[in-house]
C-alpha cells in the first residue's frame, strides 16, 4: 500500500472520510479545489496538471479507506 517515487520518498496515502475515486476523478471538493488552482495559476498549467497526476497516482495505490462511520461504529 505504498510507492516509492523518483526522489526516494515513501508515499502512504490516507483517505479519511473521502472516497478515493473522488480524488482519482477530481470530483467533489477535490475537483472544486483544482478548479480554483487552475484559476489562480492560469499562467502555470503544467503545475496544476502535476497536482492532478499526483492525486490520481495516490488514489490508485492499494490501501485502506477509512470513513467517519467506520471509526465510531
Amino acid at each position: 500500500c505504498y510507492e516509492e517515487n523518483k526522489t526516494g520518498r515513501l508515499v502512504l496515502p490516507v483517505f479519511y472520510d473521502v472516497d478515493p475515486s473522488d480524488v482519482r476523478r477530481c470530483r467533489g471538493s477535490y475537483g472544486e479545489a483544482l478548479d480554483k488552482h487552475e484559476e489562480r495559476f492560469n499562467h502555470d498549467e503544467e503545475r496544476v496538471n502535476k497536482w492532478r497526476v499526483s492525486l490520481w497516482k495516490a488514489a490508485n495505490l492499494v490501501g485502506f479507506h477509512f470513513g467517519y462511520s467506520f471509526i465510531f461504529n
Side-chain angles (χ1 to χ4, degrees):
C1 63
Y2 69 90
E3 174 185 85
E4 276 194 49
N5 64 17
K6 293 178 185 178
T7 62
R9 293 186 180 119
L10 185 63
V11 177
L12 296 169
V14 176
F15 298 106
Y16 176 75
D17 206 25
V18 65
D19 189 337
S21 68
D22 287 342
V23 177
R24 187 179 309 115
R25 294 185 180 107
C26 297
R27 292 187 302 211
S29 61
Y30 283 89
E32 292 169 13
L34 282 172
D35 289 343
K36 289 180 183 177
H37 284 312
E38 281 181 342
E39 290 175 19
R40 184 176 179 197
F41 298 105
N42 62 359
H43 61 282
D44 195 354
E45 188 176 317
E46 183 179 338
R47 182 180 197 177
V48 177
N49 285 335
K50 283 182 183 181
W51 292 337
R52 284 187 190 280
V53 169
S54 295
L55 286 169
W56 182 84
K57 284 181 179 181
N60 279 310
L61 293 175
V62 177
F64 296 102
H65 175 216
F66 295 101
Y68 183 79
S69 61
F70 172 79
I71 293 173
F72 293 102
N73 283 335

